[in-house]
Amino acid sequence: YATTYPHLLALMENLGCTYFKALNVGRNAQYTSPQIVNEFLEVSLVLEDVLDDMRRSSAFSIMVDESTDVSVLKQLVLYGRAVAGGKLKTRFLKIVDIEDGKATTIVDAITTYLHESAEFDIDRLSSFGSD
């Protein structure tokens, strides 16, 4: 299934978007078809709902786990926990690439995500969990 967006993808690449390069994992698996693009858009809408629920909650928790993938890329997985709709919910938030597993690097990545990306009020952070 070939993409119908070749010019748009080329423009995005020229503007510095590197996400689509990571999606090209083989000649027959490029993840740039109209169907997969629509699925990605749906995922971002769901994530925004999750973030809104956490922003509205009177308190929230963050859980993290650092890992290294097969290409030796270090990543930090972030989960959030908050009350939404009267129920305590734990949800996946983001995978953040990090340079190393040092504590200062991890703290900086979490703080940047909470303040800049998710726009959470850090004063409502009630607990933190890690391994």
Side-chain angles (χ1 to χ4, degrees):
Y1 196 133
T3 180
T4 59
Y5 308 116
H7 298 294
L8 178 59
L9 294 175
L11 173 63
M12 295 300 292
E13 188 174 329
N14 288 338
L15 291 173
C17 179
T18 59
Y19 297 115
F20 294 110
K21 285 183 182 181
L23 297 176
N24 292 324
V25 294
R27 191 171 54 102
N28 64 340
Q30 295 189 7
Y31 301 102
T32 54
S33 71
Q35 178 182 351
I36 198 69
V37 169
N38 287 333
E39 289 176 10
F40 287 155
L41 290 173
E42 288 176 19
V43 166
S44 35
L45 292 174
V46 169
L47 176 59
E48 194 56 39
D49 287 344
V50 167
L51 295 177
D52 284 344
D53 283 347
M54 291 187 68
R55 288 181 196 120
R56 282 192 296 266
S57 183
S58 61
F60 66 91
S61 300
I62 296 293
M63 296 173 290
V64 299
D65 189 18
E66 185 266 331
S67 69
T68 305
D69 73 4
V70 292
S71 68
V72 195
L73 174 68
K74 292 196 177 298
Q75 297 178 316
L76 189 65
V77 182
L78 293 121
Y79 294 90
R81 180 175 256 195
V83 175
K87 296 180 182 180
L88 182 62
K89 296 183 179 183
T90 302
R91 296 172 164 159
F92 168 80
L93 296 175
K94 186 168 180 85
I95 296 176
V96 179
D97 294 336
I98 54 176
E99 291 182 28
D100 55 56
K102 295 178 183 175
T104 54
T105 303
I106 293 171
V107 168
D108 288 346
I110 294 167
T111 305
T112 298
Y113 176 75
L114 291 177
H115 283 292
E116 296 174 13
S117 299
E119 300 175 355
F120 288 156
D121 178 4
I122 197 82
D123 291 333
R124 293 186 300 107
L125 179 64
S126 64
S127 64
F128 173 81
S130 69
D131 60 347

